[in-house]
Amino acid sequence: MDPHPANGRPIEDYALLSDRHTAALVSSDGSIDWLCRPRFDSPAVLGRLLDPDAGHWSIRPTAPFRSERAYVGDTFALRTTFTTDTGTAVLTDALALGPATDRGRIRLGAGAPIATLRVIECTAGEVEIDFAFRPRPEYGLVSPIFTAVPGGVLATGGPARFILTSPVPLDLGEDGATTRTTLHQGRQLHFAVQTADLAQDPPPAWSSEAVQAALDETILAWQDWHDAHPGWPGPYEALINRSVLVLEALRYQPTGAIVAAPTTSLPEAVGAGRNWDYRYAWVRDASFTVQALAAAGCHGEAVEFFEFMTRAAAHYRPEQPLQIMFGIGGEHDLSERELGHLAGWRDSRPVRVGNAAWLQPQLDVYGELLDAAWHLRGHLQGLDAPAQQFLAGIADAAADQWEQADQGIWESRGEPRHYVYSKLMCWVALDRAVKFAHRLNADDRAGDWAAARDRVRDAIETRGWNPKIGAFCAAFGDDDLDAAVLAMPASGFLPGDDPRLVSTVDAIDRRLRDARGLVRRYETGSDGLDGAEGSFVMCTFWLAQALALTGRLDRAAEAFELAATCANDLGLLSEEIDTATGSMLGNFPQAFSHIGLLNAAIAIRDAR
């Protein structure tokens, strides 16, 4: 009997694997239910996460079992221990990284062989193992043909071929490659799947020794990368170290882009239609990500991410709104479409690939990009003329466009509004550009930027402040609150002890907390879609950060620790939490949530 319900396992049941080119999600019962090849944003080869017939690869005991799991040290090699009445087996999973160093520089995943590694060993008694490899390329559209080859199986169908290394004979049929075999204490089985496109001759299946060597190399590579960074001793050390590793795992090796999450269409509310593709890089994340990586000692990684953003975003049309997100290779066209043949996680249709938000105007991105440059000013070796011209153009765009309505940070699909957060980030853009003008070779424009900055400040203080609610509101003239305004204390717009700032943080703390104490994004639905949503993990960390920056350290620690309980047993965070059940919602694992954890921890540490 297949223990996977047809409508989707709990999100928190999954673990992340990564080779910094793509990611896999593995359930606690040993099934890889999500894997895209060769990139994070490629079509899924294993997609049972979104439909029971969209492909999986499972290795698990045939008898009832208990499972426990943990990562191998500071790596993304996963070890799952199955205990049955007759014995114990340990399954170790990883995406092969290849060598980690190049002339003394750690380049994690640069030589990744595009292979998935699985090793199972019986450590006590005997355990009968059920094995099923059922790839379904193109999001489940293709059922490959399986043929035996020396050392394993070749799966052919669609734009790639898959070479499965198997040390035991497999039964081949239209449903896949399957077998049952009994392991006795001390026996190991090594499996691997390599991927080759149609222009390549498929490589030979690996030997068991080659699989073990690739696994050992992968574990060592992750550990070497972790050890090369200073770490974070003290409170919350395990969560913080895992969050730093998650950001590295979600960073696309060839370009340095960070995907918001490695999944698509895990819903913000079950059945409500809020199902988005997050396998892209958002400018929105830039300043938050750079702060988090820099504070964790990952300066080179932060610079690489910033350089990706400026190169992908670069254009010579300041009158044109800056695109808010890009493909991980720098692509601009992220046209959205629906995959009607997929049922969706827990029947939450539609499943979407691409993201129409790439067409939205969002004024906050100007501040987020220039704030990232400001935070990295000590680590940028020098901005070349195109980068100077582009960043100065961003400041010009903020000065010219700040009075326009936009879709806001939450990517509303309703009518544009004058969001306070968007105006705040235009102020940030101009403030940083003034301070940064000499590095942008733009001293002659600093006066105009300063004048525009003062006009933005006046608008926020007069039209964004709502004395009736005692807070900076969601949008000019609103009585509603928006958790994004919690970014104001970190922006430098007002000192941390300003009564308006303190009152705003307190109002959000009172009015946007759910029954569990977690923070919702806003009070009323503004995204043009029906249906409630969960509480947003990032916003609870924002509250913790804002409380620390406004001098309420005990309350900050309480909010942080509450948000930290949203992580699963492996320290991974989703986008949202279901208010009614406490279960995870949204794409997973969510970079924004881990970034929020890191920046809140920084604020609490510094306040102490």
Side-chain angles (χ1 to χ4, degrees):
M1 179 179 176
D2 192 333
H4 283 68
N7 63 347
R9 295 180 68 86
I11 294 168
E12 55 267 31
D13 190 60
Y14 285 101
L16 174 72
L17 309 178
S18 171
D19 60 7
R20 294 199 57 227
H21 294 262
T22 190
L25 295 185
V26 188
S27 68
S28 63
D29 70 348
S31 183
I32 301 179
D33 288 349
W34 184 253
L35 176 64
C36 301
R37 282 295 192 194
R39 299 186 355 167
F40 288 106
D41 56 354
S42 298
V45 175
L46 306 175
R48 182 157 65 171
L49 183 70
L50 298 179
D51 190 285
D53 297 323
H56 69 280
W57 181 10
S58 62
I59 301 176
R60 63 169 184 261
T62 58
F65 59 85
R66 300 186 310 277
S67 68
E68 297 178 355
R69 60 186 180 174
Y71 286 117
V72 180
D74 295 304
T75 79
F76 278 100
L78 178 72
R79 189 166 287 154
T80 304
T81 301
F82 300 114
T83 302
T84 73
D85 289 342
T86 61
T88 302
V90 177
L91 174 65
T92 304
D93 293 325
L95 300 187
L97 279 175
T101 59
D102 179 17
R103 296 181 182 176
R105 178 188 176 196
I106 292 179
R107 301 178 67 243
L108 196 63
I114 317 299
T116 307
L117 312 174
R118 313 198 76 181
V119 177
I120 188 160
E121 178 182 9
C122 182
T123 58
E126 66 177 31
V127 180
E128 185 183 43
I129 298 299
D130 182 84
F131 175 100
F133 177 60
R134 297 186 173 101
R136 295 292 183 268
E138 296 288 297
Y139 300 107
L141 285 176
V142 178
S143 294
I145 296 172
F146 296 87
T147 54
V149 296
V153 171
L154 176 66
T156 302
R161 288 180 286 186
F162 306 98
I163 303 89
L164 167 64
T165 292
S166 175
V168 294
L170 300 174
D171 297 321
L172 306 183
E174 62 182 48
D175 193 38
T178 61
T179 194
R180 288 189 171 189
T181 187
T182 298
L183 297 183
H184 298 277
Q185 183 173 347
R187 188 182 177 204
Q188 288 183 325
L189 297 178
H190 293 77
F191 300 95
V193 169
Q194 304 169 74
T195 303
D197 63 38
L198 295 187
Q200 298 174 279
D201 291 329
W206 285 355
S207 65
S208 294
E209 292 77 13
V211 175
Q212 185 63 51
L215 178 61
D216 294 342
E217 186 175 58
T218 296
I219 292 170
L220 180 61
W222 275 115
Q223 197 64 57
D224 281 351
W225 183 87
H226 175 268
D227 293 347
H229 297 82
W232 191 305
Y236 320 127
E237 179 178 4
L239 278 172
I240 289 164
N241 285 343
R242 180 53 57 183
S243 290
V244 174
L245 282 161
V246 167
L247 294 185
E248 182 67 2
L250 299 182
R251 209 166 62 91
Y252 181 52
Q253 198 283 327
T255 65
I258 296 178
V259 292
T263 56
T264 180
S265 300
L266 292 179
E268 296 172 1
V270 176
R274 300 180 183 196
N275 316 323
W276 316 117
D277 192 347
Y278 275 13
R279 297 171 299 163
Y280 306 110
W282 266 256
V283 179
R284 171 196 68 195
D285 298 354
S287 64
F288 305 118
T289 304
V290 161
Q291 290 176 57
L293 289 175
C298 302
H299 301 294
E301 291 80 359
V303 169
E304 193 173 53
F305 176 58
F306 173 76
E307 289 177 343
F308 162 79
M309 275 297 172
T310 56
R311 290 167 182 164
H315 64 77
Y316 191 66
R317 296 161 71 180
E319 75 284 355
Q320 177 180 311
L322 178 67
Q323 189 163 316
I324 68 160
M325 56 193 289
F326 303 96
I328 56 176
E331 300 85 359
H332 283 230
D333 185 348
L334 306 179
S335 295
E336 183 176 296
R337 62 189 176 96
E338 297 181 3
L339 303 181
H341 65 285
L342 294 179
W345 184 81
R346 299 200 171 171
D347 299 321
S348 292
R349 290 181 170 94
V351 171
R352 294 182 171 98
V353 295
N355 196 312
W358 74 279
L359 295 167
Q360 290 184 353
Q362 293 179 26
L363 301 179
D364 58 287
V365 294
Y366 300 132
E368 284 142 2
L369 201 54
L370 278 166
D371 194 49
W374 176 250
H375 280 289
L376 285 176
R377 63 193 181 277
H379 299 280
L380 296 173
Q381 297 303 311
L383 294 171
D384 58 21
Q388 291 175 337
Q389 184 175 358
F390 171 63
L391 292 173
I394 293 299
D396 289 340
D400 292 342
Q401 298 171 24
W402 73 269
E403 294 179 279
Q404 299 175 14
D406 73 337
Q407 306 306 130
I409 186 176
W410 305 128
E411 296 174 1
S412 163
R413 299 201 177 190
E415 291 298 315
R417 302 169 72 194
H418 290 279
Y419 291 100
V420 169
Y421 178 79
S422 296
K423 311 304 181 188
L424 172 67
M425 296 312 292
C426 286
W427 179 89
V428 168
L430 294 162
D431 179 72
R432 306 312 189 251
V434 169
K435 295 174 179 176
F436 210 43
H438 65 288
R439 293 284 298 274
L440 302 180
N441 195 28
D443 287 322
D444 57 327
R445 293 145 84 174
D448 291 338
W449 291 338
R453 177 186 60 183
D454 293 343
R455 290 193 293 273
V456 179
R457 171 180 286 280
D458 181 67
I460 293 172
E461 292 187 332
T462 56
R463 299 174 63 193
W465 171 257
N466 185 326
K468 183 168 68 173
I469 64 173
F472 288 100
C473 51
F476 287 173
D478 272 3
D479 293 334
D480 292 338
L481 293 172
D482 179 359
V485 178
L486 289 169
M488 190 175 282
S491 72
F493 183 79
L494 292 170
D497 59 357
D498 187 284
R500 293 167 296 175
L501 197 56
V502 173
S503 178
T504 298
V505 175
D506 288 344
I508 291 172
D509 194 4
R510 282 194 316 273
R511 289 172 49 177
L512 290 188
R513 290 243 202 174
D514 68 12
R516 296 176 179 273
L518 302 171
V519 178
R520 293 172 288 121
R521 290 191 286 183
Y522 36 63
E523 292 182 291
T524 58
S526 63
D527 59 6
L529 294 169
D530 295 329
E533 66 170 14
S535 295
F536 212 74
V537 176
M538 172 68 164
C539 294
T540 311
F541 284 122
W542 261 348
L543 176 62
Q545 182 181 15
L547 286 166
L549 293 173
T550 54
R552 279 78 61 80
L553 188 56
D554 288 344
R555 286 168 60 192
E558 178 268 333
F560 181 94
E561 288 162 11
L562 179 65
T565 65
C566 296
N568 72 359
D569 57 311
L570 296 168
L572 305 178
L573 291 162
S574 65
E575 181 182 22
E576 300 189 23
I577 298 295
D578 188 309
T579 301
T581 66
S583 297
M584 289 184 173
L585 289 171
N587 286 301
F588 171 85
Q590 179 82 355
F592 218 25
S593 298
H594 287 277
I595 291 163
L597 184 152
L598 290 167
N599 285 330
I602 294 164
I604 293 170
R605 179 197 65 183
D606 291 349
R608 283 174 171 163

